[in-house]
Amino acid sequence: MTDRPTVWEEMPKINRDLLAPLQTTTWIYFLWVGALSCLVAAGAGAWTFQIQTGIGQTDLHHPIFWGSYIASFVFWIGVSHSGTFISGVLRLTNAEWRRPVTRLAELMTVVALIVTALFVFYHLGRVWRFYYLIPYPNQRELWPNFRSPLMWDATAIFTYATASTIYIYLPLIPDFALARDRIHGWRKSVYRWLAIGWHGSQAQWRTLEMAIRIITPLIVMVMISVHSIVGFDFGMALVPAWHSTIFAPYFVVGAVHSGLGMVMIGLYVLRKVYHLHNYVRTEHFEKLGKLLLVTTLLLAYMYFAEQLTVWYGKVPDHIAVQHSLLYGAYAVPFWFMVSCIYVIPLLTLVWPRFRQWPVGLMIVGLIINIGMYIERMLIIVPPLAHPRLSFQWDEYFPSLIELVILVGTLALALLLYSLAVKFVPVISIWEEKLGKKHAQEH
Amino acid sequence: MSQDPQATDEYSKQAASPYKWEMVVDLDRCSGCEACVVACHAENNIRISGEEEAAEGRAINWIRIERYWEGDYPDVKVKFLPVMCQHCDDAPCEPVCPVYASYHTPEGLNAQVYNRCIGVRYCGNNCPYVARQFNWFDPHWDEPLAEQLNPDVSVRSGGVMEKCTFCVQRIRSGKEAAHKEGRRVRDGEITPACVQSCPTSALIFGDRNDPDSRVSHLKKSRRGFHLMESLGTHPAVTYLRRLSE
Amino acid sequence: MDLYRRTLFKILGLTAAGSSLPGCEREVHNLVPYLLPDGDIVPGVANWYATTCQECEAGCGTIVRVMEGRAKKIEGNPTHPVNEGKLCARGQAALQGLYNPDRLQGPLRREGKRGQGQFRPITWEEGLSEWVEQIRTHAGKSAMVTRPVTGTLASLLTTMMDSLSGRLVMYESTGEQTLRTANYLSYGTRTLPHYDLANADYLLSFGTPFLEHWLSPVSFGVAYGKFRQGRPMVRGRFIQVEPRLSLTASNADRWIPLRPGTEGLLAMGIGQVLLRDGLTNLSSSHQASFHRTFSAISLQTISADTEVSQEAITQIAHELSSASAPLIMGGGPAAAQTNGTTTLILINALNVMIGAIGRRGGLQWMEPQDSPVDLANPGLASERTLMDLALEFEQGSRALLHLYRADPLFTLPPSLKFERVFDHAQFIVSFSPFLDDSTLMADLILPDHDPLESWGDHVHHDTTSVPAWSVSQPVVRALYDTKPIGDVWLDVAHRLGGALGERAPWNTFHDLLKSRWQTVLTKHDSPRSFETRWKETLQEGGVWPSTIPHHQISPAMPSVTYKPPQFLGNSSDYPLYCYPYPSLGLHDGRGANRPWLQELPDPLTTGMWGSWIELNPTTAQGLGIHPGDRVRVTSDYGSIDASVMVFPGLHPDMIAVPMGQGHRAYGRYAKGRGVNPMVLLGPNYDEQSGSLATGGTRVRVERIKGGSQLPMLEQSGKNPVLGRLQETGGL
Amino acid sequence: MFGNIKGVILALLAGSVATGIGALYSIGSADLPVQDQQPLRFSHRLHAGILNIQCQFCHRYATQSPVAGVPSVALCQTCHESLSEATPDMKRLQIYWKDKRPIPWIRLQRLPDHVYFTHEMHLFAGLSCTSCHGKVDRMSGTPRAPTYEMGWCLTCHEQTGASQDCWTCHK
């Protein structure tokens, strides 16, 4: 034990390791970014086409007025919860193992929120009139309607975006200062500007810790409220199978579920690409795997409660939706979704040995996210497709334009993340050091 | 016919409107002939969707005749149900609109202000009657079909929700005529296009605040019901049940 | 109503045709003021003009809303006795005839081979002189096929064709020729009675599609409303008997399906029970002949052949006798069989048995009235007559064919080989405003004005409770370089000169019209001048007396023997009966170029913009066919491919196909869309009337590759499990 | 340094928010290009001001129609027939009259298609033409109100207690 290097000896190595992605770039990275940019361009082209010709480029039609854009909106806002949940909740509970995971997850939050906002715009029939949604004084003397859950939504997301930007920024300040001192070239001035004069004095540390301690519980509350409000978008509506009290908590848990899955993927990929095996260890995957098992069980419980209530209640409007899911038009995606988000995670994650296997956990994370995307679609489409007047029942599948936009936007998220990784240390350097110090002290 | 002088006084006050518009659909008279559908298209500049859009389920009808089959051959029965915007007093579509494009007028109409609409389509989801129709594209009329367009009704652009207005342009001109003569609108003076055309007189329109109007009488009929009464939307359209054996 | 009338007449103006209107100014940034002020016209304020609907032969009175020279909307004329202010879908869609993008904009001369559709624009002078040349060349060999016209135009065309020793044929595929023949044999008049549905309390209808297109659908619609809910404490009961549940049948309290073509047999069964149970009010002189006719076949056999139970037959008979004002109507599919006339005679006899003749709530004939115009109705032609015409062309005794808004190449089954006329005609002139399937074959096209741009009149002598003479006036200025057919014929008469010129001294059809109306409007020694009366007539849309005495009819029981219907095609190769029916919106196809009507969902299948084949669910299941599958329907005469709609209200041994689609021409909305079921039909006639038995062909159905979903309003129709009543608050 | 950056950020933020709000505040839809190149120069100052011709003599449909109407050439001619062709514009008028052609005036007052406006009811309510169109009798060209935006209409509707229900004016 004594030949183990002390924290102080390890410091330069930590700095080197964790700043490496910011300093060295391989040709694979450029290829990757180039490929993503092409996809983003395709998505942008598709969106431009949709704006020029009309929202009819989607496959939407009455009575299915909402489709893949809203599903993606819900999905991405779910992903955005990963960061806040992991870093926020784990910070609150002082879970030591959180340290290498937080930054990576918080970055996901910001990227996902940007993408989420985009989907609102894709969805609008007249996106060039988006400013009608903004509360500001105008000559028309008109305000937006705050009774609409969509306005709550807009407000909540705006708040969440602001708060999570601050939340990711605060712990970044010491790292920016580090980067400022280590990195040369044009980026140096940017880091200097971002580091807002951090020089590591006791007073500054105290202020920062205080700030983090204050904002952490706040952001957890915001996070819960945001996804509850997204749930309210549906729960408040009169649509059969939407009008349910479980939607708010269910959406929160669902968000964490897919968010954890996403973190799992991110963690694995970054560790692999940037050789962070010293920092991201199997232990982290195992802990996350346990958490994922918890969310799987929680989500399955809620889903079961909801479906059982519908099934037992036999209200025709609701039963019609359930039938279409269980053995109707949507049975294939439904059962696929059930396997993806409940069955497969449950069957794999219960095995302690499995939880030690990062590749397996990454694959489960991927499966969960595919499943959760389908789940979002199945929450939105089948109830809309079965209005109370059965004369109007219908089906829906996203059009090509929609799919291009969806893929383009996924590419945009990956691109933003890839770019961010080149700019921001993916593991909080000072927290990592602090963790090491704590570990040694104990 | 109400000649009550107080009624005129009331009208001069702006706070509350003296009118509450109501439609009655007598299912025992409705033959499903769809004269109302074309009348509505002609009056309200409803777009021609064309084959492709119609196949997508995007044909726009402010009033549609829903047809329900019952039983199997040879004991088959058909029931027709004309469905238009029910102009609910507690309309589920109104509170969810983030920009107030959908709102309730003092006369009990469920209004849609087209140029305010940004197309979030929440109202469409939330309407249990699927009465709201969306313009997925800009409308198009092959020349010179557009010569027929009614100048009293806007042509809705793409990206905008629309629906039955109870022919508000006719209500407006009826009220203006009455206002210039300093009187209330008389029963039967205002007829929406569908009501006007209906051969069997299955559709009746009028002021529910006027106790002597035809709709006020018919509303009280024992055959009367509202579509999805249990939802508590309080529609301004009353259906009269079709009698059968 | 009174109130509405008064305000209405304030706004009902006179014709706009003469006034100076702004042209079709498209530039919104320009204000176009009137050159001369016109007292009637206030910019921004609508004017309403009364005229007559010409979309079908019913001739409903209409008022047209006109703003700044453009027609905006057509509504029923509230004072008109036929439609009482109401108007059907097709009548309202007449606007899309006026503003149809595929209207012919001036005279055309064929280039290239006939039927290739290559035409070059010519001047009216060129067109008219060539036509006159052709009339001279083919003297005495003219023929004209028109849709049914009445009034002044009918008399003008009759005069013209008489003078040219030509033959005038008025043809309408749903012309109810059989009904007229049967009525002539039963009641001694070809005039159709007024069916007093509004005052009946029990209606037994053998297939009559009176709420769709039969005779005068709006008039029937108005009466139906009153029949159901128009009287306190009385609600009419309605039974419909037919093999396919039509829109009309779907309104019935009870729909009784039966084997196609056995309607007469069922009538016989009902009559038998009435006679057996002594429920008729026949005079003793009649009793014997009725007994003889109605007891020829036993009730058991009837029940077996019609597939209607004896109980049901007995029940109907008893209900008829216990009703206070029962009414029986027959027509539509019941008449579209080889035994159509016999069937209708038997149904007529039932009306006699229940005492409906001349009774309130029964059948009424009005006293023949003085008409402002000659009742020179040459009568509708049956398909047999058209075949005679074809023979004349083949033999060379006819050479010059005129077509006026009739499209025989589309509406007649190809198996009748009517194209012989077109093959043998030396020259074909069409007055159609559209390039329809027949006009495509024309050598010279002299397009008529749209009805909304023309003068005209309409004589109502069938089915109305009061006689009415309606006028049509131009409500908008002619859009294009077209000429009204009346003007064109008068012009040609002057050019030909001689006796013809003398018989047509008028310069324009408008002059002719006014001179005709002058005799009538001034006959009843009205103190007011003709011009005043004429103006009033134009404002009101026509003249109609308030009440008239009813005409007494002495019905007879013609000796008839029931003959089972004959079908073309043997039952082993062709197991199904083919039943083409006129579509609600497109009718026989004339509405197919109107996008409103194309997009008007069929009320029962909710199909739009195309054709489909209806199959009973059990039949479809037996053939392994699912909704949306593509099938080929084959008869001995032709075949059509279309997708299947499962239709619960159809006799299992039948297929049904809507008419109206499958045009080869007729503009962008109609051309190449759907299929024309007439292709399937063979030359099978009702012997007595010479009408085509449209229900008289057998077919088989096979599944073929492919399958496409037709646009449907009922989106759940995509899934056969759905579409049944779920929750509608309990209708 | 800390304060400096904060100041810059705040200033930038405040600036962009102000500009954005300002732009959004005034955004509207009723505007038309302001051009007054009519086929012939017509002076409202001369006709309405100096000659004191009442508005509704020429715009004669204002009390009975949604539109006020542009006078027909025939109406111009009732006065101009007896006047000598003093100016080139008056000569041009005579040419229109002789050719029996309407004058293609360029439209300067127009509301978007989604607005229902009727002169009839505004005059019935007792408004004068100048309340909306300004001092026409002092304008040499064709008068044009500064803006026909919704806020402008609403101000008056608020003051006079006229209906502010959206569907009063939106169609």
Side-chain angles (χ1 to χ4, degrees), chain B residues 11 19-20 23 27 30 36-37 57 61 66 74 80 85 87 90 118 127 138 161 178 192 195 197 213 221 229 235 241:
Chain B
Y11 183 50
Y19 306 112
K20 279 273 181 215
M23 193 181 283
L27 296 176
C30 175
C36 50
V37 179
N61 291 293
E66 298 202 342
F80 291 116
C85 173
H87 292 272
D90 289 305
I118 56 171
C127 172
D138 279 331
M161 194 63 83
V195 175
S197 74
S213 69
S221 161
E229 191 122 39
R241 211 173 299 275

Side-chain angles (χ1 to χ4, degrees), chain B residues 183 186-191 196, chain C residues 1-13 48 50 63 75-81 84-85 466 528 533 536-537 539-546:
Chain B
R183 58 170 173 83
R186 299 190 188 108
D187 192 31
E189 193 176 350
I190 297 173
T191 50
Q196 197 285 326
Chain C
M1 181 51 84
D2 231 344
L3 167 105
Y4 183 38
R5 221 181 126 146
R6 248 184 288 124
T7 52
L8 184 75
F9 277 106
K10 268 203 298 195
I11 45 176
L12 279 180
W48 292 82
I63 51 174
E75 292 184 356
N77 182 347
T79 60
H80 201 282
E84 299 180 20
V466 291
R528 287 166 299 169
R533 286 286 290 126
E536 281 172 7
T537 307
Q539 280 179 331
E540 291 184 32
V543 289
W544 34 83
S546 46

Side-chain angles (χ1 to χ4, degrees), chain A residues 60-66 381 383-387 389 392-395, chain B residues 57 121 124-125 127 130 132 136, chain C residues 715:
Chain A
L60 297 167
H61 48 263
H62 76 270
I64 306 166
F65 288 110
W66 288 2
V381 175
L384 288 181
H386 296 88
L389 291 170
Q392 297 287 331
W393 287 3
D394 209 342
E395 289 163 23
Chain B
R121 311 193 281 286
N125 287 344
C127 172
V130 203
R132 292 183 157 258
W136 301 96
Chain C
Q715 294 156 27

Side-chain angles (χ1 to χ4, degrees), chain C residues 703-716:
Chain C
R703 205 186 146 183
I704 55 169
K705 274 225 167 94
S708 57
Q709 190 61 53
L710 201 73
M712 284 170 77
L713 179 70
E714 183 196 32
Q715 294 156 27
S716 50

Side-chain angles (χ1 to χ4, degrees), chain C residues 342-412:
Chain C
T342 317
T343 300
L344 294 181
I345 288 172
L346 288 165
I347 293 168
N348 287 345
L350 279 187
N351 264 324
V352 178
M353 283 193 219
I354 59 167
I357 307 300
R359 166 171 46 69
R360 189 178 151 84
L363 311 183
Q364 297 158 349
W365 282 263
M366 63 185 181
E367 205 69 63
Q369 293 290 303
D370 289 334
S371 164
V373 285
D374 303 336
L375 261 179
N377 190 337
L380 294 180
S382 68
E383 282 81 1
R384 269 277 160 74
T385 321
L386 287 169
M387 291 304 98
D388 293 348
L389 185 72
L391 203 65
E392 287 178 15
F393 270 93
E394 256 181 332
Q395 291 162 345
S397 54
R398 298 275 166 222
L400 177 58
L401 175 68
H402 300 92
L403 288 168
Y404 177 57
R405 294 189 186 228
D407 192 359
L409 287 186
F410 178 80
T411 52
L412 287 177

Side-chain angles (χ1 to χ4, degrees), chain B residues 26-39 41-43 46-51 54-61 64-65 67-74 76-81 142-152 170 181 186-189 193 195-201 223 225-228 230 241-245, chain C residues 3 24 26 65 67 70-73 75-76 85-89 92-93 95-96 99-101 211 218 221-222 224-226 228-230 235 237 245 247 250-255 257 479-480 584 595-597 599-601 603-606 608-609 616 647-652 668-669 673 711-715 718 723-725 727-731:
Chain B
D26 189 341
L27 296 176
D28 208 26
R29 283 176 182 252
C30 175
S31 72
C33 74
E34 299 192 330
C36 50
V37 179
V38 174
H41 274 64
E43 174 73 16
I46 294 176
R47 58 188 291 149
I48 299 156
S49 300
E51 183 179 4
E56 295 248 345
R58 289 173 176 173
I60 291 187
N61 291 293
R64 62 172 184 269
I65 312 289
R67 179 273 292 118
Y68 292 94
W69 291 108
E70 278 184 325
D72 291 304
Y73 183 89
V76 183
K77 272 208 186 314
V78 169
K79 284 182 173 172
F80 291 116
L81 180 70
D142 290 326
E143 284 304 314
L145 281 175
E147 298 288 342
Q148 178 273 328
L149 295 182
N150 185 357
D152 297 342
R170 291 179 176 221
E181 292 172 27
R186 299 190 188 108
D187 192 31
E189 193 176 350
V195 175
Q196 197 285 326
S197 74
C198 180
T200 57
S201 302
R223 296 192 288 133
F225 71 98
H226 290 132
L227 219 47
M228 296 172 216
S230 60
R241 211 173 299 275
R242 177 173 166 179
L243 297 172
S244 53
E245 341 194 300
Chain C
L3 167 105
C24 294
R26 309 289 316 142
R65 182 177 190 237
M67 285 181 91
R70 289 158 185 107
K72 298 295 180 188
K73 189 157 189 304
E75 292 184 356
K86 307 301 187 178
L87 199 61
C88 72
Q92 300 188 70
L95 284 173
Q96 293 198 325
Y99 292 122
N100 196 291
L211 292 172
V218 181
V222 172
Y224 175 76
K226 295 175 186 164
R228 286 298 206 189
Q229 288 292 333
R235 176 181 186 269
R237 184 169 152 76
L245 182 102
L247 172 67
S250 66
N251 284 288
D253 295 300
R254 187 170 176 198
W255 167 58
L479 259 68
Y480 303 118
L584 179 76
W596 280 341
L597 298 180
E599 205 158 296
L600 189 72
L604 289 162
T605 62
T606 79
M608 302 176 258
W609 291 103
N616 181 293
F647 193 88
L650 188 65
H651 193 282
R668 66 194 73 178
Y669 303 109
R673 183 181 300 288
M712 284 170 77
L713 179 70
E714 183 196 32
Q715 294 156 27
K718 287 174 184 170
R724 303 250 161 176
L725 193 66
E727 195 227 4
T728 50
L731 296 183

Side-chain angles (χ1 to χ4, degrees), chain A residues 1-260:
Chain A
M1 271 301 165
T2 43
D3 19 309
R4 234 188 100 177
T6 65
V7 176
W8 307 109
E9 282 159 356
E10 259 189 289
M11 291 270 174
K13 184 177 155 42
I14 294 177
N15 285 348
R16 213 168 37 247
D17 283 356
L18 297 184
L19 282 177
L22 277 62
Q23 286 163 320
T24 51
T25 305
T26 60
W27 63 272
I28 297 176
Y29 179 83
F30 283 113
L31 205 66
W32 167 247
V33 167
L36 287 178
S37 305
C38 290
L39 287 176
V40 171
W47 189 25
T48 315
F49 180 65
Q50 181 189 290
I51 293 173
Q52 268 176 354
T53 53
I55 192 78
Q57 294 301 345
T58 61
D59 184 52
L60 297 167
H61 48 263
H62 76 270
I64 306 166
F65 288 110
W66 288 2
S68 62
Y69 296 150
I70 295 293
S72 308
F73 165 84
V74 178
F75 174 78
W76 282 104
I77 206 160
V79 170
S80 79
H81 282 50
S82 56
T84 331
F85 176 78
I86 295 182
S87 70
V89 175
L90 299 186
R91 249 189 201 124
L92 275 183
T93 53
N94 268 326
E96 271 302 314
W97 62 272
R98 71 167 193 270
R99 295 183 188 276
V101 187
T102 49
R103 173 70 49 74
L104 171 155
E106 285 158 14
L107 266 183
M108 266 180 197
T109 300
V110 174
V111 168
L113 272 176
I114 293 169
V115 171
T116 304
L118 272 177
F119 277 103
V120 176
F121 291 103
Y122 298 155
H123 175 78
L124 290 184
R126 299 201 304 164
V127 66
W128 51 94
R129 292 266 186 247
F130 75 95
Y131 57 84
Y132 286 169
L133 285 168
I134 306 169
Y136 70 96
N138 57 69
Q139 55 90 8
R140 293 178 298 275
E141 304 181 22
L142 284 175
W143 293 91
N145 178 6
F146 284 99
R147 288 183 303 161
S148 169
L150 288 181
M151 278 317 289
W152 313 344
D153 224 14
T155 315
I157 289 169
F158 190 73
T159 313
Y160 188 44
T162 318
S164 52
T165 311
I166 296 169
Y167 183 62
I168 190 175
Y169 178 67
L170 287 179
L172 258 172
I173 295 170
D175 284 1
F176 280 141
L178 189 71
R180 175 192 63 194
D181 301 339
R182 296 283 193 284
I183 288 170
H184 302 282
W186 63 272
R187 280 191 292 178
K188 191 178 179 77
S189 52
V190 180
Y191 284 127
R192 178 181 303 135
W193 191 69
L194 285 169
I196 48 170
W198 180 269
H199 49 82
S201 72
Q202 277 300 325
Q204 281 182 340
W205 278 113
R206 252 201 317 278
T207 317
L208 182 68
E209 268 168 25
M210 181 64 82
I212 291 176
R213 210 173 302 146
I214 291 170
I215 199 164
T216 306
L218 285 180
I219 195 106
V220 171
M221 285 191 273
V222 169
M223 168 210 123
I224 290 173
S225 73
V226 166
H227 224 99
S228 300
I229 286 170
V230 173
F232 288 160
D233 279 351
F234 304 93
M236 296 293 160
L238 210 51
V239 178
W242 275 11
H243 194 59
S244 160
T245 52
I246 205 154
F247 265 55
Y250 177 75
F251 269 51
V252 174
V253 176
V256 173
H257 193 51
S258 67
L260 281 172

